[in-house]
Amino acid sequence: RAGRGRHLPRAVHPDRWINGGAGGDGGERATPSGGLHGTNKWCVAVTATAGGAWGAVDSYPWTLGQDFIANTSSLRALSGVIYFRVFDASAVQRSASYAPGFADRSTHRFVGCNAAGVITLYADGVSVATSSTGGTGTWSATPAALYVGSNSGSSPLDGSITNVKVYPNATYRAGM
C-alpha cells in the first residue's frame, strides 16, 4: 500500500519504510530506509502531549538524523514555538515555524512534509506554516536515524509521543 503511513511501535521492525530499534537514549530510534528520500518527498507525523508548557524547555518530538547537520530534519518545540526544519545537503536550514499558544499538558498532532524543498507544518490537521526559502530543502542522502522523543539522545520531549508515522510521499491527506 504505497503512500500510506506506517506505524513505529516501540522496538519493532514494522515495514520497509522504517527499520525499528530501541534507542536507549531517552527516545526510540529507527533507521529510515533508502526509499524515504528518493524523490525528496516525505512526511513524518507524530502525536505529542507536553508534560508541562509547550516549548518551555528545548525539546524534540522527533528528528531525522542529528539536528543542525546536512541531510537532516526535526520537529522542535522552543519558547512556545514549534519549528519544522530541514537541513539540506550543505547543512543550510529551511524552516517553517508556528507559535500556537497551546494549553499546558495538551495533546496535538504534528505533521511535517517536505515536497522537494517546499516544507509545510501541519498542526491538528491544519496547515500552519510553509517555507520555500533558505537552503534547498533537499537531501543527497538518507539521515542515519529517526529519533522519536529526542534530538539524537539530547533535548528529550517532556511529555509523551504516540502514533508515529513516516510517509514516503509529501501529499498531506486528512487523517495523517
Side-chain angles (χ1 to χ4, degrees):
R1 296 206 245 174
R4 301 208 51 185
R6 310 295 189 213
H7 290 279
L8 175 62
R10 293 181 64 79
V12 174
H13 302 254
D15 57 49
R16 64 186 180 140
W17 302 113
I18 47 181
N19 303 309
D25 56 12
E28 282 297 297
R29 179 178 62 227
T31 304
S33 70
L36 178 63
H37 86 285
T39 60
N40 277 296
K41 294 183 178 183
W42 48 265
C43 296
V44 176
V46 63
T47 299
T49 302
W54 269 101
V57 295
D58 190 10
S59 61
Y60 289 82
W62 61 261
T63 59
L64 281 167
Q66 184 175 354
D67 208 17
F68 294 106
I69 62 174
N71 301 312
T72 63
S73 182
S74 68
L75 182 69
R76 182 181 192 188
L78 178 63
S79 301
V81 179
I82 308 297
Y83 298 90
F84 171 51
R85 303 182 306 192
V86 175
F87 292 86
D88 66 19
S90 299
V92 178
Q93 173 182 266
R94 181 167 288 185
S95 179
S97 61
Y98 171 56
F102 290 147
D104 294 358
R105 295 179 173 76
S106 57
T107 300
H108 301 279
R109 181 77 173 159
F110 299 102
V111 180
C113 293
N114 184 354
V118 176
I119 64 170
T120 305
L121 172 62
Y122 297 85
D124 300 323
V126 177
S127 172
V128 294
T130 298
S131 179
S132 58
T133 61
T136 64
T138 60
W139 296 336
S140 61
T142 302
L146 166 63
Y147 293 90
V148 178
S150 75
N151 174 26
S152 185
S154 65
S155 303
L157 176 71
D158 175 21
S160 62
I161 302 288
T162 61
N163 199 18
V164 177
K165 291 185 180 181
V166 175
Y167 296 86
N169 61 54
T171 304
Y172 180 85
R173 292 175 311 283
M176 278 180 125

